[in-house]
Every structure is written in structure tokens, then in C-alpha cells.
Amino acid sequence: MLHTVNKSPFEKSTFESCLNHARPGDAVLLIEDGVYGAVKGTAVSGQVAKFNGDLKLYALGPDLAARGIKDASLMEGVSVVDYGGFVDLVAKHDVSQAWL
Amino acid sequence: MKFGILVNEGPYTHQASDSAYQFTKAALEKGHEIYRVFFYNDGVNNGTRLTVPPQDERNIQVNWSELGEKYKLDLVVCVAAAQRRGILDESEAKRHGKNADNIAPGFRISGLGQLIETGIECDRVVAFGD
Amino acid sequence: MSMEEDLPGTGDQKKFLYVNRRAPYGTIYALESLEVVLIGAAFDQDVSLAFFDDGVYQIVKDQDTSGIGMKNFSPTYRALGDYEVTRLYVEKESLEERGLTPDDLMEITYEDEDDDWAEKPSVRLVSRAELSEVMAEQDVILSF
């Protein structure tokens, strides 16, 4: 399954809920304000790192760039994709779940 | 692959409609089929032709209409959600005794069944909202 | 899908899950999600609802909206059985986090046509892990 999360983890518990409900092998794509959850050295990055490996984490590049986040600031294991990559992720996984 | 797109927020306040547009465009450019784009909740507000954003800003409604025109997309606004929020086509306006309609080019108003049908017919449904 | 194909007359059905993670009234999502469920019931698909995070607040009992000028739509959940929507998964952890117990929820039931129309509870309390399994089995997940 592909999960998409569009909320900042500092404002809403959506990302946390997604991580707690995702299953090993699932992919999580952070988009919009969700991309703040992919940054290393934050109050939530330790928690996110626990899931890294069981889950595959992605962040949407155009949303990172818009928010001034450089790839070097991202947690280890996070892959950056563009909108075409987003489309490929949806195609690759049987079901997409949007954590709105 | 056959995709269905669900847009649950209106233009400008949330990024949802922009994200949905960029995703839809990328999917079409990769050769996928977009079976339908369904606008629900405040997403119906993407379908008014009366928006006049500043000229140096994107016009979200025009973007959707132009993409719809280019790829012959089925842009569907939910009738129940649209009536709550004042999005009307000519026949809806007439039926409810309103003196104007505002549906944008390329959009059509239809029922929620069109969303369920999208789920049934498509290989993937991708939702954008808040 | 492959499991469904073994059952007569259900080969074309998809498993739809409606995810409810938001409280009612503060935003319209709960109400308009319910409207999708009611319309969707006419399509003869395999439908389930999930209530977790703030979504559990949608089905607590004793909702009284008379003071806020909004329609109390909570009785509609109790009518879902009439629409053959009979599986409402409610996450235990979400209840506990909010200081709620199953007794705080409305009684939502359906009549089982395969069991002499016996009245049965629609609410199925599940753990977080069990809910994850339910979500993993779906063909279409709609959340608003």
C-alpha cells in the first residue's frame, strides 16, 4: 500500500497515525506540508527513524524545494521523487490511502 | 493504467487542488488514462468560472479547464456539495430559481454515484484534500 | 478480489473502505463522508467503515446539536443497517486515548438476513494491528 501524508508532523498527528497503521513493506510519500516530516534532527525524526526500513519513505521534491529544504537535510533512507515519481508509486502499489 | 482523482478542497486556501493538478498532468504525460476527476467537499469550488485571481498568479480553475480540454477529461463536480456552496450550471440554476450559473468550461455537475463508479472502474484512486 | 470470486454473484465487487478520522460538526467531512456511504450503498459493493483517531467521536451517543444550529446527523449511522452497511470497525486504542469506552458509543445494529433476521451489532471493536489488516485487504480506500 502507498500512504500519502500532507500534514506537518508538528501541527497534526496524521503522520504518526499513518506510521502506526502502516504495515511492513508499505510506502509512505510525504507531500505538501508533510515533507517537514522527512527532515533529520527534529523533535519527530527519532520516532520516524524507528519505522525506517520496515517502511519505505519518500518525499515529493517540488514540495521540498518550495519550502527551502535541501536533500542534505533529509533523514537517511528518504527518497526524493518528482510528480512523475509520485505517479509511478501509485501505479506500483495496489491501493493508495490518503491520510487527510 | 486507469486512474481516478478525488479533489476535496477548493482552490488557493489549500494546496490540494494544485497537487491534484500536477499529479494528473504528470500521469497523463506518462500515458496513463484519467478516467475522471471528481470534486467533492469544498473541492467543488474549483469549478466556478467567476474567480479572478491576480494576473501574476496561477488560475487554478483555468488550469483545470485547459487540461480538461487538451486531454478530454471528465471533470465532475458533486451536485449535493455544489448546491451547498453555490456552484450551479444552467439547468440547476433554472431548477432552483437562481438568476445566474457559474460552472466553468469543461466541468459538469453530477451525482455522488460518479465517485463510486470511479472507484469501481479505476485501477487506482488518488485523493487530495486537507 | 480473488477471494470474492469464489462467492456466487460477487465476482465484480470491490472492497470499499470509508476511513473516518475526524470529529463531527467542527468540519463537514464526517457528514459528507456519510452521504457518500449512503449513495455508495446502492452500488452493491463490499462496504466497510473504519472509525479511528478523532473519527470515533462521530458515533458517540447523546449528541445534541440544538444549541449550535446544525443538524444532528448521528441517527443516520444507526440507519446504515437498512442500507446493508453492516461492518463498522472501531479502533480500541483510539477510544482509550480519548477516555472513551464502547459504552459511550451509539448502539448500531443490523438484521442478518442469513440468520433469520437476527439483530446483530454493526460495530466491531478492533485493535490497531487488526485495523491495519482490514485496511490492507481493501481495493478502494476513501477518506475525506
Side-chain angles (χ1 to χ4, degrees), chain A residues 1 7 12-14 17 20-23 94-100, chain C residues 19 21-22 52-53 91 128 131-133 135-136 138-139 141 143-144:
Chain A
M1 189 182 305
K7 302 293 189 307
K12 297 263 174 74
S13 58
T14 309
S17 185
N20 286 331
H21 289 90
R23 298 163 84 238
D94 288 345
V95 182
S96 291
Q97 180 172 4
W99 290 75
L100 303 176
Chain C
V19 166
R21 292 183 49 250
R22 312 211 223 213
F52 61 109
D53 295 343
E91 189 187 83
R128 187 159 286 167
L131 183 62
S132 294
E133 297 295 321
M135 292 196 280
Q138 304 301 318
D139 297 308
I141 299 180
S143 50
F144 301 94

PDB file of all heavy atoms in Angstrom, chain A residues 1 7 12-14 17 20-23 94-100, chain C residues 19 21-22 52-53 91 128 131-133 135-136 138-139 141 143-144:
ATOM      1  N   MET A   1       0.832  -1.201   0.000  1.00  0.00           N
ATOM      2  CA  MET A   1       0.000   0.000   0.000  1.00  0.00           C
ATOM      3  C   MET A   1       0.874   1.261   0.000  1.00  0.00           C
ATOM      4  O   MET A   1       1.942   1.272   0.588  1.00  0.00           O
ATOM      5  CB  MET A   1      -0.912  -0.003   1.245  1.00  0.00           C
ATOM      6  CG  MET A   1      -1.962   1.089   1.203  1.00  0.00           C
ATOM      7  SD  MET A   1      -3.012   1.174   2.666  1.00  0.00           S
ATOM      8  CE  MET A   1      -3.647  -0.483   2.776  1.00  0.00           C
ATOM      9  N   LYS A   7       0.374  16.574   6.023  1.00  0.00           N
ATOM     10  CA  LYS A   7       0.343  17.462   7.190  1.00  0.00           C
ATOM     11  C   LYS A   7       1.717  17.564   7.851  1.00  0.00           C
ATOM     12  O   LYS A   7       2.410  16.552   7.985  1.00  0.00           O
ATOM     13  CB  LYS A   7      -0.624  16.922   8.241  1.00  0.00           C
ATOM     14  CG  LYS A   7      -2.040  16.746   7.781  1.00  0.00           C
ATOM     15  CD  LYS A   7      -2.705  18.074   7.492  1.00  0.00           C
ATOM     16  CE  LYS A   7      -4.185  17.861   7.248  1.00  0.00           C
ATOM     17  NZ  LYS A   7      -4.453  16.826   6.208  1.00  0.00           N
ATOM     18  N   LYS A  12      -0.121  18.369  13.326  1.00  0.00           N
ATOM     19  CA  LYS A  12      -1.157  17.326  13.393  1.00  0.00           C
ATOM     20  C   LYS A  12      -0.505  15.969  13.652  1.00  0.00           C
ATOM     21  O   LYS A  12       0.664  15.752  13.345  1.00  0.00           O
ATOM     22  CB  LYS A  12      -1.912  17.261  12.049  1.00  0.00           C
ATOM     23  CG  LYS A  12      -2.667  18.535  11.689  1.00  0.00           C
ATOM     24  CD  LYS A  12      -4.128  18.437  12.066  1.00  0.00           C
ATOM     25  CE  LYS A  12      -4.886  19.724  11.860  1.00  0.00           C
ATOM     26  NZ  LYS A  12      -5.158  20.030  10.482  1.00  0.00           N
ATOM     27  N   SER A  13      -1.287  15.041  14.202  1.00  0.00           N
ATOM     28  CA  SER A  13      -0.763  13.706  14.489  1.00  0.00           C
ATOM     29  C   SER A  13      -0.949  12.747  13.309  1.00  0.00           C
ATOM     30  O   SER A  13      -0.763  11.545  13.447  1.00  0.00           O
ATOM     31  CB  SER A  13      -1.446  13.139  15.731  1.00  0.00           C
ATOM     32  OG  SER A  13      -2.850  13.107  15.523  1.00  0.00           O
ATOM     33  N   THR A  14      -1.290  13.300  12.141  1.00  0.00           N
ATOM     34  CA  THR A  14      -1.607  12.465  10.973  1.00  0.00           C
ATOM     35  C   THR A  14      -0.457  11.533  10.574  1.00  0.00           C
ATOM     36  O   THR A  14      -0.670  10.341  10.328  1.00  0.00           O
ATOM     37  CB  THR A  14      -1.950  13.377   9.772  1.00  0.00           C
ATOM     38  OG1 THR A  14      -2.926  14.324  10.184  1.00  0.00           O
ATOM     39  CG2 THR A  14      -2.491  12.562   8.622  1.00  0.00           C
ATOM     40  N   SER A  17      -0.091   8.771  13.064  1.00  0.00           N
ATOM     41  CA  SER A  17      -1.153   7.780  12.912  1.00  0.00           C
ATOM     42  C   SER A  17      -0.876   6.890  11.707  1.00  0.00           C
ATOM     43  O   SER A  17      -1.039   5.665  11.765  1.00  0.00           O
ATOM     44  CB  SER A  17      -2.510   8.480  12.753  1.00  0.00           C
ATOM     45  OG  SER A  17      -3.553   7.535  12.708  1.00  0.00           O
ATOM     46  N   ASN A  20       1.817   4.417  12.526  1.00  0.00           N
ATOM     47  CA  ASN A  20       1.341   3.381  13.449  1.00  0.00           C
ATOM     48  C   ASN A  20       0.398   2.387  12.782  1.00  0.00           C
ATOM     49  O   ASN A  20       0.156   1.309  13.320  1.00  0.00           O
ATOM     50  CB  ASN A  20       0.631   4.026  14.651  1.00  0.00           C
ATOM     51  CG  ASN A  20       1.622   4.659  15.617  1.00  0.00           C
ATOM     52  OD1 ASN A  20       2.765   4.205  15.725  1.00  0.00           O
ATOM     53  ND2 ASN A  20       1.205   5.708  16.299  1.00  0.00           N
ATOM     54  N   HIS A  21      -0.180   2.758  11.639  1.00  0.00           N
ATOM     55  CA  HIS A  21      -1.116   1.860  10.963  1.00  0.00           C
ATOM     56  C   HIS A  21      -0.528   1.201   9.715  1.00  0.00           C
ATOM     57  O   HIS A  21      -1.111   0.255   9.191  1.00  0.00           O
ATOM     58  CB  HIS A  21      -2.404   2.610  10.568  1.00  0.00           C
ATOM     59  CG  HIS A  21      -3.268   2.967  11.729  1.00  0.00           C
ATOM     60  ND1 HIS A  21      -3.143   4.151  12.407  1.00  0.00           N
ATOM     61  CD2 HIS A  21      -4.255   2.279  12.363  1.00  0.00           C
ATOM     62  CE1 HIS A  21      -4.023   4.191  13.394  1.00  0.00           C
ATOM     63  NE2 HIS A  21      -4.708   3.071  13.393  1.00  0.00           N
ATOM     64  N   ALA A  22       0.573   1.722   9.227  1.00  0.00           N
ATOM     65  CA  ALA A  22       1.181   1.134   8.025  1.00  0.00           C
ATOM     66  C   ALA A  22       1.784  -0.224   8.375  1.00  0.00           C
ATOM     67  O   ALA A  22       2.112  -0.494   9.532  1.00  0.00           O
ATOM     68  CB  ALA A  22       2.247   2.063   7.478  1.00  0.00           C
ATOM     69  N   ARG A  23       1.897  -1.072   7.374  1.00  0.00           N
ATOM     70  CA  ARG A  23       2.447  -2.408   7.592  1.00  0.00           C
ATOM     71  C   ARG A  23       3.808  -2.526   6.921  1.00  0.00           C
ATOM     72  O   ARG A  23       4.092  -1.826   5.945  1.00  0.00           O
ATOM     73  CB  ARG A  23       1.478  -3.465   7.039  1.00  0.00           C
ATOM     74  CG  ARG A  23       0.121  -3.424   7.746  1.00  0.00           C
ATOM     75  CD  ARG A  23      -0.941  -4.148   6.965  1.00  0.00           C
ATOM     76  NE  ARG A  23      -0.932  -5.583   7.227  1.00  0.00           N
ATOM     77  CZ  ARG A  23      -0.766  -6.509   6.304  1.00  0.00           C
ATOM     78  NH1 ARG A  23      -0.573  -6.162   5.050  1.00  0.00           N
ATOM     79  NH2 ARG A  23      -0.800  -7.775   6.622  1.00  0.00           N
ATOM     80  N   ASP A  94      -0.925  -1.452  -5.041  1.00  0.00           N
ATOM     81  CA  ASP A  94      -2.308  -1.792  -5.386  1.00  0.00           C
ATOM     82  C   ASP A  94      -3.309  -0.735  -4.940  1.00  0.00           C
ATOM     83  O   ASP A  94      -4.293  -0.469  -5.614  1.00  0.00           O
ATOM     84  CB  ASP A  94      -2.696  -3.130  -4.737  1.00  0.00           C
ATOM     85  CG  ASP A  94      -2.015  -4.301  -5.415  1.00  0.00           C
ATOM     86  OD1 ASP A  94      -1.495  -4.095  -6.528  1.00  0.00           O
ATOM     87  OD2 ASP A  94      -2.004  -5.403  -4.847  1.00  0.00           O
ATOM     88  N   VAL A  95      -3.068  -0.170  -3.761  1.00  0.00           N
ATOM     89  CA  VAL A  95      -4.023   0.775  -3.179  1.00  0.00           C
ATOM     90  C   VAL A  95      -3.274   1.997  -2.655  1.00  0.00           C
ATOM     91  O   VAL A  95      -2.174   1.866  -2.115  1.00  0.00           O
ATOM     92  CB  VAL A  95      -4.811   0.136  -2.014  1.00  0.00           C
ATOM     93  CG1 VAL A  95      -5.839   1.114  -1.449  1.00  0.00           C
ATOM     94  CG2 VAL A  95      -5.508  -1.136  -2.472  1.00  0.00           C
ATOM     95  N   SER A  96      -3.874   3.160  -2.839  1.00  0.00           N
ATOM     96  CA  SER A  96      -3.346   4.386  -2.245  1.00  0.00           C
ATOM     97  C   SER A  96      -4.290   4.849  -1.149  1.00  0.00           C
ATOM     98  O   SER A  96      -5.502   4.888  -1.345  1.00  0.00           O
ATOM     99  CB  SER A  96      -3.235   5.504  -3.298  1.00  0.00           C
ATOM    100  OG  SER A  96      -2.233   5.187  -4.218  1.00  0.00           O
ATOM    101  N   GLN A  97      -3.709   5.194  -0.017  1.00  0.00           N
ATOM    102  CA  GLN A  97      -4.522   5.730   1.083  1.00  0.00           C
ATOM    103  C   GLN A  97      -4.029   7.135   1.411  1.00  0.00           C
ATOM    104  O   GLN A  97      -2.880   7.318   1.797  1.00  0.00           O
ATOM    105  CB  GLN A  97      -4.429   4.835   2.312  1.00  0.00           C
ATOM    106  CG  GLN A  97      -5.260   5.373   3.471  1.00  0.00           C
ATOM    107  CD  GLN A  97      -5.349   4.412   4.642  1.00  0.00           C
ATOM    108  OE1 GLN A  97      -4.734   3.355   4.637  1.00  0.00           O
ATOM    109  NE2 GLN A  97      -6.120   4.780   5.640  1.00  0.00           N
ATOM    110  N   ALA A  98      -4.912   8.104   1.242  1.00  0.00           N
ATOM    111  CA  ALA A  98      -4.560   9.490   1.549  1.00  0.00           C
ATOM    112  C   ALA A  98      -4.917   9.771   3.007  1.00  0.00           C
ATOM    113  O   ALA A  98      -6.070   9.631   3.405  1.00  0.00           O
ATOM    114  CB  ALA A  98      -5.313  10.440   0.631  1.00  0.00           C
ATOM    115  N   TRP A  99      -3.909  10.155   3.785  1.00  0.00           N
ATOM    116  CA  TRP A  99      -4.136  10.487   5.199  1.00  0.00           C
ATOM    117  C   TRP A  99      -4.466  11.967   5.286  1.00  0.00           C
ATOM    118  O   TRP A  99      -3.591  12.800   5.528  1.00  0.00           O
ATOM    119  CB  TRP A  99      -2.912  10.105   6.043  1.00  0.00           C
ATOM    120  CG  TRP A  99      -2.784   8.625   6.136  1.00  0.00           C
ATOM    121  CD1 TRP A  99      -2.343   7.773   5.166  1.00  0.00           C
ATOM    122  CD2 TRP A  99      -3.161   7.800   7.248  1.00  0.00           C
ATOM    123  NE1 TRP A  99      -2.426   6.470   5.593  1.00  0.00           N
ATOM    124  CE2 TRP A  99      -2.910   6.455   6.873  1.00  0.00           C
ATOM    125  CE3 TRP A  99      -3.684   8.058   8.520  1.00  0.00           C
ATOM    126  CZ2 TRP A  99      -3.178   5.392   7.731  1.00  0.00           C
ATOM    127  CZ3 TRP A  99      -3.931   6.991   9.371  1.00  0.00           C
ATOM    128  CH2 TRP A  99      -3.681   5.677   8.977  1.00  0.00           C
ATOM    129  N   LEU A 100      -5.744  12.294   5.077  1.00  0.00           N
ATOM    130  CA  LEU A 100      -6.142  13.690   5.023  1.00  0.00           C
ATOM    131  C   LEU A 100      -6.443  14.215   6.422  1.00  0.00           C
ATOM    132  O   LEU A 100      -6.582  13.476   7.353  1.00  0.00           O
ATOM    133  CB  LEU A 100      -7.363  13.844   4.116  1.00  0.00           C
ATOM    134  CG  LEU A 100      -7.153  13.315   2.698  1.00  0.00           C
ATOM    135  CD1 LEU A 100      -8.439  13.428   1.903  1.00  0.00           C
ATOM    136  CD2 LEU A 100      -6.051  14.090   1.992  1.00  0.00           C
TER     137      LEU A 100
ATOM    138  N   VAL C  19     -12.794   5.625   5.425  1.00  0.00           N
ATOM    139  CA  VAL C  19     -11.998   5.942   6.609  1.00  0.00           C
ATOM    140  C   VAL C  19     -12.526   7.228   7.249  1.00  0.00           C
ATOM    141  O   VAL C  19     -12.638   8.266   6.589  1.00  0.00           O
ATOM    142  CB  VAL C  19     -10.513   6.097   6.216  1.00  0.00           C
ATOM    143  CG1 VAL C  19      -9.728   6.756   7.345  1.00  0.00           C
ATOM    144  CG2 VAL C  19      -9.918   4.736   5.870  1.00  0.00           C
ATOM    145  N   ARG C  21     -11.637   9.678  10.250  1.00  0.00           N
ATOM    146  CA  ARG C  21     -10.636  10.058  11.254  1.00  0.00           C
ATOM    147  C   ARG C  21     -10.892  11.443  11.835  1.00  0.00           C
ATOM    148  O   ARG C  21     -10.052  11.989  12.538  1.00  0.00           O
ATOM    149  CB  ARG C  21      -9.225  10.037  10.636  1.00  0.00           C
ATOM    150  CG  ARG C  21      -8.730   8.631  10.255  1.00  0.00           C
ATOM    151  CD  ARG C  21      -7.307   8.650   9.729  1.00  0.00           C
ATOM    152  NE  ARG C  21      -6.452   9.407  10.603  1.00  0.00           N
ATOM    153  CZ  ARG C  21      -5.916  10.608  10.291  1.00  0.00           C
ATOM    154  NH1 ARG C  21      -6.135  11.150   9.122  1.00  0.00           N
ATOM    155  NH2 ARG C  21      -5.157  11.227  11.150  1.00  0.00           N
ATOM    156  N   ARG C  22     -12.065  12.028  11.532  1.00  0.00           N
ATOM    157  CA  ARG C  22     -12.310  13.390  12.000  1.00  0.00           C
ATOM    158  C   ARG C  22     -13.601  13.468  12.807  1.00  0.00           C
ATOM    159  O   ARG C  22     -14.559  12.736  12.562  1.00  0.00           O
ATOM    160  CB  ARG C  22     -12.435  14.340  10.808  1.00  0.00           C
ATOM    161  CG  ARG C  22     -11.296  14.145   9.807  1.00  0.00           C
ATOM    162  CD  ARG C  22     -10.984  15.426   9.147  1.00  0.00           C
ATOM    163  NE  ARG C  22     -10.776  15.269   7.728  1.00  0.00           N
ATOM    164  CZ  ARG C  22      -9.925  16.020   7.032  1.00  0.00           C
ATOM    165  NH1 ARG C  22      -9.219  16.955   7.622  1.00  0.00           N
ATOM    166  NH2 ARG C  22      -9.795  15.839   5.746  1.00  0.00           N
ATOM    167  N   PHE C  52     -11.445   5.716  13.510  1.00  0.00           N
ATOM    168  CA  PHE C  52     -10.292   5.770  14.414  1.00  0.00           C
ATOM    169  C   PHE C  52      -9.794   7.211  14.482  1.00  0.00           C
ATOM    170  O   PHE C  52     -10.329   8.097  13.826  1.00  0.00           O
ATOM    171  CB  PHE C  52      -9.195   4.771  14.010  1.00  0.00           C
ATOM    172  CG  PHE C  52      -8.588   4.948  12.646  1.00  0.00           C
ATOM    173  CD1 PHE C  52      -7.278   5.421  12.509  1.00  0.00           C
ATOM    174  CD2 PHE C  52      -9.283   4.605  11.507  1.00  0.00           C
ATOM    175  CE1 PHE C  52      -6.688   5.555  11.254  1.00  0.00           C
ATOM    176  CE2 PHE C  52      -8.704   4.731  10.251  1.00  0.00           C
ATOM    177  CZ  PHE C  52      -7.406   5.219  10.126  1.00  0.00           C
ATOM    178  N   ASP C  53      -8.777   7.432  15.346  1.00  0.00           N
ATOM    179  CA  ASP C  53      -8.384   8.809  15.677  1.00  0.00           C
ATOM    180  C   ASP C  53      -9.653   9.585  16.070  1.00  0.00           C
ATOM    181  O   ASP C  53     -10.546   9.013  16.679  1.00  0.00           O
ATOM    182  CB  ASP C  53      -7.613   9.458  14.516  1.00  0.00           C
ATOM    183  CG  ASP C  53      -6.265   8.755  14.261  1.00  0.00           C
ATOM    184  OD1 ASP C  53      -5.807   8.012  15.147  1.00  0.00           O
ATOM    185  OD2 ASP C  53      -5.687   8.933  13.183  1.00  0.00           O
ATOM    186  N   GLU C  91     -11.587   1.418  16.358  1.00  0.00           N
ATOM    187  CA  GLU C  91     -10.288   1.076  16.939  1.00  0.00           C
ATOM    188  C   GLU C  91     -10.271   1.302  18.452  1.00  0.00           C
ATOM    189  O   GLU C  91     -10.541   2.402  18.925  1.00  0.00           O
ATOM    190  CB  GLU C  91      -9.189   1.912  16.265  1.00  0.00           C
ATOM    191  CG  GLU C  91      -7.799   1.457  16.664  1.00  0.00           C
ATOM    192  CD  GLU C  91      -6.742   2.400  16.115  1.00  0.00           C
ATOM    193  OE1 GLU C  91      -6.490   3.445  16.760  1.00  0.00           O
ATOM    194  OE2 GLU C  91      -6.174   2.096  15.057  1.00  0.00           O
ATOM    195  N   ARG C 128      -5.462  -1.774  16.920  1.00  0.00           N
ATOM    196  CA  ARG C 128      -4.772  -1.033  15.863  1.00  0.00           C
ATOM    197  C   ARG C 128      -4.193  -1.984  14.820  1.00  0.00           C
ATOM    198  O   ARG C 128      -4.322  -1.772  13.618  1.00  0.00           O
ATOM    199  CB  ARG C 128      -3.671  -0.179  16.498  1.00  0.00           C
ATOM    200  CG  ARG C 128      -2.987   0.766  15.560  1.00  0.00           C
ATOM    201  CD  ARG C 128      -2.329   1.888  16.341  1.00  0.00           C
ATOM    202  NE  ARG C 128      -3.329   2.830  16.841  1.00  0.00           N
ATOM    203  CZ  ARG C 128      -3.082   3.767  17.765  1.00  0.00           C
ATOM    204  NH1 ARG C 128      -1.891   3.875  18.304  1.00  0.00           N
ATOM    205  NH2 ARG C 128      -4.043   4.589  18.145  1.00  0.00           N
ATOM    206  N   LEU C 131      -6.934  -3.404  12.698  1.00  0.00           N
ATOM    207  CA  LEU C 131      -7.433  -2.401  11.753  1.00  0.00           C
ATOM    208  C   LEU C 131      -6.478  -2.266  10.560  1.00  0.00           C
ATOM    209  O   LEU C 131      -6.909  -2.127   9.412  1.00  0.00           O
ATOM    210  CB  LEU C 131      -7.619  -1.043  12.444  1.00  0.00           C
ATOM    211  CG  LEU C 131      -8.210   0.057  11.568  1.00  0.00           C
ATOM    212  CD1 LEU C 131      -9.615  -0.290  11.091  1.00  0.00           C
ATOM    213  CD2 LEU C 131      -8.230   1.390  12.320  1.00  0.00           C
ATOM    214  N   SER C 132      -5.177  -2.350  10.848  1.00  0.00           N
ATOM    215  CA  SER C 132      -4.194  -2.313   9.754  1.00  0.00           C
ATOM    216  C   SER C 132      -4.429  -3.445   8.770  1.00  0.00           C
ATOM    217  O   SER C 132      -4.322  -3.259   7.556  1.00  0.00           O
ATOM    218  CB  SER C 132      -2.768  -2.411  10.313  1.00  0.00           C
ATOM    219  OG  SER C 132      -2.455  -1.277  11.064  1.00  0.00           O
ATOM    220  N   GLU C 133      -4.759  -4.621   9.319  1.00  0.00           N
ATOM    221  CA  GLU C 133      -5.041  -5.776   8.456  1.00  0.00           C
ATOM    222  C   GLU C 133      -6.276  -5.516   7.592  1.00  0.00           C
ATOM    223  O   GLU C 133      -6.289  -5.823   6.400  1.00  0.00           O
ATOM    224  CB  GLU C 133      -5.276  -7.038   9.304  1.00  0.00           C
ATOM    225  CG  GLU C 133      -4.083  -7.488  10.128  1.00  0.00           C
ATOM    226  CD  GLU C 133      -2.919  -7.922   9.251  1.00  0.00           C
ATOM    227  OE1 GLU C 133      -3.164  -8.557   8.216  1.00  0.00           O
ATOM    228  OE2 GLU C 133      -1.764  -7.588   9.600  1.00  0.00           O
ATOM    229  N   MET C 135      -7.425  -2.670   6.622  1.00  0.00           N
ATOM    230  CA  MET C 135      -7.112  -1.686   5.577  1.00  0.00           C
ATOM    231  C   MET C 135      -6.308  -2.318   4.447  1.00  0.00           C
ATOM    232  O   MET C 135      -6.480  -1.983   3.285  1.00  0.00           O
ATOM    233  CB  MET C 135      -6.371  -0.495   6.193  1.00  0.00           C
ATOM    234  CG  MET C 135      -7.265   0.323   7.123  1.00  0.00           C
ATOM    235  SD  MET C 135      -6.644   1.964   7.545  1.00  0.00           S
ATOM    236  CE  MET C 135      -5.463   1.565   8.810  1.00  0.00           C
ATOM    237  N   ALA C 136      -5.461  -3.277   4.814  1.00  0.00           N
ATOM    238  CA  ALA C 136      -4.610  -3.914   3.807  1.00  0.00           C
ATOM    239  C   ALA C 136      -5.410  -4.791   2.837  1.00  0.00           C
ATOM    240  O   ALA C 136      -4.946  -5.101   1.748  1.00  0.00           O
ATOM    241  CB  ALA C 136      -3.529  -4.736   4.504  1.00  0.00           C
ATOM    242  N   GLN C 138      -8.258  -3.993   1.413  1.00  0.00           N
ATOM    243  CA  GLN C 138      -9.213  -3.218   0.617  1.00  0.00           C
ATOM    244  C   GLN C 138      -8.753  -3.004  -0.832  1.00  0.00           C
ATOM    245  O   GLN C 138      -7.564  -3.028  -1.121  1.00  0.00           O
ATOM    246  CB  GLN C 138      -9.440  -1.847   1.271  1.00  0.00           C
ATOM    247  CG  GLN C 138      -9.893  -1.930   2.708  1.00  0.00           C
ATOM    248  CD  GLN C 138     -11.200  -2.699   2.880  1.00  0.00           C
ATOM    249  OE1 GLN C 138     -12.119  -2.518   2.084  1.00  0.00           O
ATOM    250  NE2 GLN C 138     -11.277  -3.542   3.904  1.00  0.00           N
ATOM    251  N   ASP C 139      -9.739  -2.764  -1.697  1.00  0.00           N
ATOM    252  CA  ASP C 139      -9.436  -2.367  -3.080  1.00  0.00           C
ATOM    253  C   ASP C 139      -9.458  -0.857  -3.240  1.00  0.00           C
ATOM    254  O   ASP C 139      -8.702  -0.300  -4.028  1.00  0.00           O
ATOM    255  CB  ASP C 139     -10.466  -2.979  -4.041  1.00  0.00           C
ATOM    256  CG  ASP C 139     -10.425  -4.488  -4.032  1.00  0.00           C
ATOM    257  OD1 ASP C 139      -9.325  -5.049  -4.200  1.00  0.00           O
ATOM    258  OD2 ASP C 139     -11.481  -5.115  -3.846  1.00  0.00           O
ATOM    259  N   ILE C 141      -9.825   2.773  -0.852  1.00  0.00           N
ATOM    260  CA  ILE C 141      -9.948   3.419   0.455  1.00  0.00           C
ATOM    261  C   ILE C 141     -10.274   4.887   0.230  1.00  0.00           C
ATOM    262  O   ILE C 141      -9.517   5.613  -0.414  1.00  0.00           O
ATOM    263  CB  ILE C 141      -8.647   3.280   1.274  1.00  0.00           C
ATOM    264  CG1 ILE C 141      -8.333   1.800   1.513  1.00  0.00           C
ATOM    265  CG2 ILE C 141      -8.766   4.026   2.607  1.00  0.00           C
ATOM    266  CD1 ILE C 141      -7.068   1.545   2.310  1.00  0.00           C
ATOM    267  N   SER C 143     -11.139   8.516   1.996  1.00  0.00           N
ATOM    268  CA  SER C 143     -11.159   9.314   3.221  1.00  0.00           C
ATOM    269  C   SER C 143     -11.344  10.768   2.834  1.00  0.00           C
ATOM    270  O   SER C 143     -10.893  11.208   1.786  1.00  0.00           O
ATOM    271  CB  SER C 143      -9.881   9.108   4.021  1.00  0.00           C
ATOM    272  OG  SER C 143      -8.749   9.261   3.212  1.00  0.00           O
ATOM    273  N   PHE C 144     -12.016  11.492   3.695  1.00  0.00           N
ATOM    274  CA  PHE C 144     -12.379  12.872   3.382  1.00  0.00           C
ATOM    275  C   PHE C 144     -11.886  13.807   4.476  1.00  0.00           C
ATOM    276  O   PHE C 144     -11.563  13.369   5.562  1.00  0.00           O
ATOM    277  CB  PHE C 144     -13.901  12.994   3.224  1.00  0.00           C
ATOM    278  CG  PHE C 144     -14.433  12.101   2.148  1.00  0.00           C
ATOM    279  CD1 PHE C 144     -14.910  10.846   2.462  1.00  0.00           C
ATOM    280  CD2 PHE C 144     -14.411  12.496   0.825  1.00  0.00           C
ATOM    281  CE1 PHE C 144     -15.368   9.999   1.469  1.00  0.00           C
ATOM    282  CE2 PHE C 144     -14.874  11.658  -0.168  1.00  0.00           C
ATOM    283  CZ  PHE C 144     -15.360  10.403   0.159  1.00  0.00           C
TER     284      PHE C 144
END
